[in-house]
Each structure stands twice: as C-alpha cells, then as structure tokens.
Amino acid sequence: MCSESNTGLLSQAFPPNPRFTEKELPDQTGKIVIVTGAASGVGRELAKILYSANATVYVGARSLARVNEGIKSIRAEMGESKGRLMPLVLDLADLKTIRPAVEDFLSKETQLDVLVHNAGVMMPPVGSKTAGGHDLEMGTNVLGPFLLTRLLEPILKQTASLKNKLDSEKRPVRVVWVVSVLDSGTPKGGVEFDEVTKAPKTFKKPMENYMSSKAGGSFLAVEFARRWHEAGILSVSCNPGLMKTELQRHQPALVSKLMGIVFKPAVFGAYTELFCGFSPDVTSPENGGYYIPWGRKSELPAHLKKSLQATEDGGHGLGSKLYGWCETETMSFKA
C-alpha cells in the first residue's frame, strides 16, 4: 500500500515524487474511461496518459469545439495509439445537457471501467449561478457529477459484475471524485444546510464556498462507496495537488502569476488521479478513501468525518443529507 506517515499540509504542498506514472501503468487495451474536463489542464494530461496506454478515453467538456480542440491536441502530441479518443459534450453547470451525453455514450459502449470527475469551477464572480439557478460551484462540483454518476450507475454495475466473473486480476470499476486540500480553508463541517430552503448554504467568503463544494465531492465519494460496497465499484476522492491550470482563471493576475511560479505542471495532478483510478494499491478496503499528491492514502479531516457519521452514531449525517438533496434536485433530469 502506497502511504506516508506525514500527510499534513506541508507534505501535500511539497509531496514526494509520484510512484505511479505512465511508466507503471499497464496496457489499457479494451478499457473504457470517461474523464470530465479533459480538454485542458489535468484532465487533458490524464487523457493523454490513458490514450498512450491504448485506452478508449471519452473526453468530456462543455462544448464540441472544446472537445475537438482537446482531442486534436492530444493526438498531435501522442502520435500513434491503439486507443480511441471520443467526444463527450456535457456542461456540468447545465443539468439538461448531462442525460443526452450519457445516452450518446450508452449508444456506443457496453462497459465503463473508470469515471473521473475531474472538471470543476473555482471562485467564479460572487453570485454566479448554474443554468438551473444553483450556486455555480455547488452545482458544477457536486450536483452535475452526482447526476452523471447516477445516470451511469447501471453500466458501472454491469461492468463490475462482468469483471468479477471474467477478470482474473480483479481490477475493480472505479469512480474518482477530484476535490482539493480539504485540510485548509474548508468550513467546519464541510457543508452547511439552510434550515428554510433545506439546500446547502452559499458561503460569503469565496474560498469557503469553493471548499464547501469540494467537501461535498468527498461526501459523495463516501456515500456512493457505502451504496456500492457489494457491487464491486470503488468510489474514492483525491486532492490532486497544487498545480497551475485553467481552474484558477478567475484569480487576480498577480496571484495567477505566482501560482505559475510555485505550482507544479498539470501532469502531476494527473498522476494523483491516475493512481486513484488505476493503481493496484487502491483496493476494496480503501473504498470511500481520500488520497493526496501524488498518490498517497490519507484521511479526511476529523470535522468532515464527524459530518459523515450517521446521527445515530453521534455524527451529523451530512453525507446522507447531501446525497438526498442531490437526488431531489436532479430527479427531473433522470427521466
């Protein structure tokens, strides 16, 4: 098991060298993977690695133009491959785009081995909303991925069932929820619900609001793991690491420039996601786990663990509550 005794903030900011990269990744011929936000940044780097290993990679992005641009650039850089790069056009901030994208995917494929929720939005202008009127960060980082996962759940379970029977290596189907450095800046409890609206509160401080949505992603990773424990599907979350990507496009120019100097290239974040999605060190006992750069098992902060605990066990039951809210808010987009 790849782990470190020191998984604190300093270790996450300056992690040891990655141990699972394209060099350790076995051939992925026949594997089907969806990576959201794969037209640029970390998602694009992950798609490149998987494509070079002969996987079929569905490149998820907000528009066909962005998808095509991403696919073209990957092919130009990687050259020959026995894999495929396929378009998946969906906007996680617009729930009505997700079902058509899934239907298009299901019309082409009969299996899905790994789903990587890489796409996200960070600290947009205050008051930004999704197409459905939700807070943009909670909508894009939590609601959209939730709906995508629920719509893909049947094929994930079908693939897991076949793998349990046929795959001698027992490589489980996986869903990777890309979150953040949850040890810093996350409001206490992670997600706070409004007593009147019964919806997650929008925090006034931009960083707290962003981190609340990322805590929500980690909650969903655990909640799906609980529901899938007998289905042979692993659901984990990860802090991909500190990198300079399009995620910081809303940051002030000086901050963005400093990030470019201090932060690592996007490929390092891809190594964290690659570890979670493909390393043999991520096994059934780690279902619901949280990983840090560049592929090390860690633990959620204590206050988030408390939030996830059921009320009957002395916790706050917020993971289950968030799952239920997502189910309600996305109900009309499933049919």
Side-chain angles (χ1 to χ4, degrees), residues 9 17 35 39 54 66 68 88 108 111 140 143 150 159 163 181 206 220 228 265 267 279 285 288 333:
L9 283 174
N17 291 331
V35 182
N54 303 314
R66 282 185 62 82
N68 288 340
L88 188 72
K108 297 181 176 72
Q111 72 182 71
T140 304
L143 266 185
R150 289 287 282 120
T159 306
K163 281 196 168 195
V181 191
L220 291 184
W228 289 341
V267 68
S279 170
F333 297 96

Coordinates of all heavy atoms in Angstrom, one line a residue, residues 9 17 35 39 54 66 68 88 108 111 140 143 150 159 163 181 206 220 228 265 267 279 285 288 333:
L9 N -0.4 19.4 5.7 CA -0.4 20.4 4.7 C 1.0 20.5 4.0 O 1.0 20.7 2.8 CB -0.8 21.7 5.3 CG -2.3 21.9 5.6 CD1 -2.5 23.2 6.3 CD2 -3.1 21.9 4.3
N17 N 8.1 12.4 -4.8 CA 7.9 12.1 -6.2 C 6.8 11.0 -6.4 O 6.6 10.1 -5.6 CB 9.2 11.5 -6.9 CG 10.3 12.6 -7.0 OD1 10.0 13.7 -7.1 ND2 11.5 12.2 -6.9
V35 N -13.3 11.0 -18.7 CA -12.7 12.0 -17.9 C -13.4 13.3 -18.2 O -13.4 13.8 -19.3 CB -11.2 12.1 -18.3 CG1 -10.5 13.2 -17.4 CG2 -10.5 10.8 -18.1
A39 N -10.5 18.6 -21.8 CA -10.0 19.3 -23.0 C -8.7 20.2 -22.6 O -8.1 20.7 -23.5 CB -11.1 20.2 -23.5
N54 N -3.3 2.9 -24.7 CA -4.3 2.3 -25.6 C -5.7 2.1 -25.0 O -6.5 1.3 -25.5 CB -3.8 0.9 -26.0 CG -2.4 0.9 -26.7 OD1 -2.2 1.8 -27.5 ND2 -1.5 0.1 -26.2
R66 N -14.6 22.7 -27.8 CA -13.5 22.4 -26.8 C -13.1 21.0 -26.8 O -11.9 20.6 -26.7 CB -14.0 22.8 -25.4 CG -14.0 24.3 -25.1 CD -14.4 24.6 -23.6 NE -13.4 24.0 -22.7 CZ -12.3 24.5 -22.3 NH1 -11.8 25.7 -22.9 NH2 -11.5 23.9 -21.4
N68 N -13.2 18.9 -29.4 CA -12.4 18.7 -30.6 C -11.0 19.2 -30.5 O -10.1 18.7 -31.0 CB -13.2 19.2 -31.8 CG -14.4 18.4 -32.2 OD1 -14.5 17.2 -31.8 ND2 -15.3 19.0 -33.0
L88 N -17.4 13.7 -25.6 CA -18.5 13.6 -24.6 C -18.8 15.1 -24.2 O -18.1 15.7 -23.4 CB -18.1 12.8 -23.4 CG -19.2 12.6 -22.4 CD1 -20.2 11.5 -23.0 CD2 -18.7 12.1 -21.0
K108 N -22.9 3.8 -27.8 CA -21.7 3.4 -28.3 C -20.9 2.3 -27.5 O -20.2 1.5 -28.1 CB -20.7 4.6 -28.5 CG -21.2 5.7 -29.5 CD -20.2 6.8 -29.5 CE -20.6 7.8 -30.5 NZ -21.7 8.7 -30.1
Q111 N -19.6 -1.0 -21.7 CA -18.9 -1.1 -20.4 C -18.3 0.3 -20.1 O -18.2 1.2 -20.9 CB -17.8 -2.1 -20.5 CG -16.6 -1.6 -21.3 CD -15.5 -2.7 -21.4 OE1 -15.7 -3.7 -22.0 NE2 -14.4 -2.4 -20.8
T140 N -21.7 22.8 -10.2 CA -20.8 22.2 -11.1 C -19.9 21.2 -10.4 O -19.6 20.1 -11.0 CB -19.8 23.3 -11.6 OG1 -20.6 24.4 -12.2 CG2 -18.8 22.8 -12.6
L143 N -23.6 18.8 -7.9 CA -24.8 18.3 -8.5 C -24.6 17.7 -9.9 O -25.1 16.6 -10.1 CB -25.8 19.5 -8.7 CG -26.8 19.8 -7.6 CD1 -27.7 20.9 -8.0 CD2 -27.6 18.5 -7.3
R150 N -25.2 9.0 -11.3 CA -26.4 8.2 -11.2 C -26.9 7.7 -12.5 O -27.4 6.5 -12.6 CB -27.5 9.1 -10.5 CG -27.3 9.4 -9.1 CD -27.5 8.2 -8.2 NE -28.9 8.0 -8.0 CZ -29.6 6.9 -8.3 NH1 -29.0 5.9 -8.9 NH2 -30.9 6.8 -8.0
T159 N -20.6 -3.4 -15.7 CA -19.2 -3.7 -15.9 C -18.5 -4.4 -14.7 O -17.7 -5.3 -14.9 CB -18.4 -2.4 -16.2 OG1 -19.1 -1.7 -17.2 CG2 -17.0 -2.6 -16.6
K163 N -16.6 -8.0 -14.6 CA -15.2 -8.1 -14.2 C -15.1 -9.1 -13.1 O -14.1 -9.9 -13.0 CB -14.8 -6.7 -13.7 CG -14.4 -5.8 -14.8 CD -13.6 -4.6 -14.3 CE -12.9 -3.9 -15.4 NZ -11.9 -3.0 -15.0
V181 N -7.5 20.4 -1.3 CA -6.7 20.3 0.0 C -7.7 20.5 1.1 O -7.9 21.6 1.6 CB -5.6 21.3 0.1 CG1 -4.7 21.0 1.3 CG2 -4.8 21.3 -1.2
P206 N -15.4 33.7 -0.6 CA -15.2 32.8 -1.8 C -14.5 31.5 -1.6 O -14.9 30.5 -2.1 CB -14.5 33.8 -2.8 CG -14.8 35.1 -2.3 CD -15.0 35.1 -0.9
L220 N -19.8 12.8 -1.3 CA -20.5 11.9 -2.3 C -19.6 10.7 -2.6 O -20.1 9.6 -2.8 CB -20.7 12.7 -3.6 CG -21.8 13.7 -3.5 CD1 -22.0 14.3 -4.9 CD2 -23.1 13.2 -3.0
W228 N -22.3 1.1 -2.8 CA -21.8 0.2 -3.8 C -20.9 -0.9 -3.2 O -20.2 -1.6 -3.9 CB -20.9 1.0 -4.8 CG -21.7 1.9 -5.8 CD1 -23.0 1.8 -6.1 CD2 -21.2 3.0 -6.5 NE1 -23.3 2.8 -7.0 CE2 -22.2 3.5 -7.3 CE3 -19.9 3.5 -6.6 CZ2 -22.1 4.6 -8.2 CZ3 -19.7 4.6 -7.5 CH2 -20.8 5.1 -8.3
P265 N 3.5 21.5 -12.8 CA 2.7 21.4 -14.1 C 1.5 20.4 -13.9 O 1.5 19.6 -13.0 CB 3.8 20.7 -15.0 CG 5.1 21.1 -14.5 CD 4.9 21.1 -13.0
V267 N 0.5 17.8 -15.3 CA 0.7 16.3 -15.4 C 0.8 15.7 -14.0 O 0.5 14.5 -13.8 CB 1.9 16.0 -16.2 CG1 3.2 16.4 -15.6 CG2 1.9 14.5 -16.6
S279 N -4.2 2.4 -10.0 CA -3.1 1.7 -9.2 C -3.7 0.4 -8.5 O -4.8 0.5 -7.9 CB -2.6 2.6 -8.1 OG -1.7 1.9 -7.2
P285 N -10.7 -2.5 0.5 CA -10.7 -1.9 1.9 C -10.6 -0.4 1.9 O -10.9 0.3 2.8 CB -9.5 -2.5 2.5 CG -9.3 -3.8 1.8 CD -9.7 -3.5 0.4
G288 N -14.1 4.5 -0.6 CA -14.5 5.7 0.2 C -13.4 6.5 0.6 O -13.5 7.5 1.3
F333 N -34.2 15.3 -14.1 CA -33.3 15.2 -15.3 C -32.9 13.7 -15.5 O -32.1 13.4 -16.4 CB -32.0 16.0 -15.0 CG -32.3 17.5 -14.9 CD1 -32.5 18.0 -13.6 CD2 -32.4 18.2 -16.0 CE1 -32.8 19.4 -13.5 CE2 -32.6 19.6 -15.9 CZ -32.8 20.2 -14.7

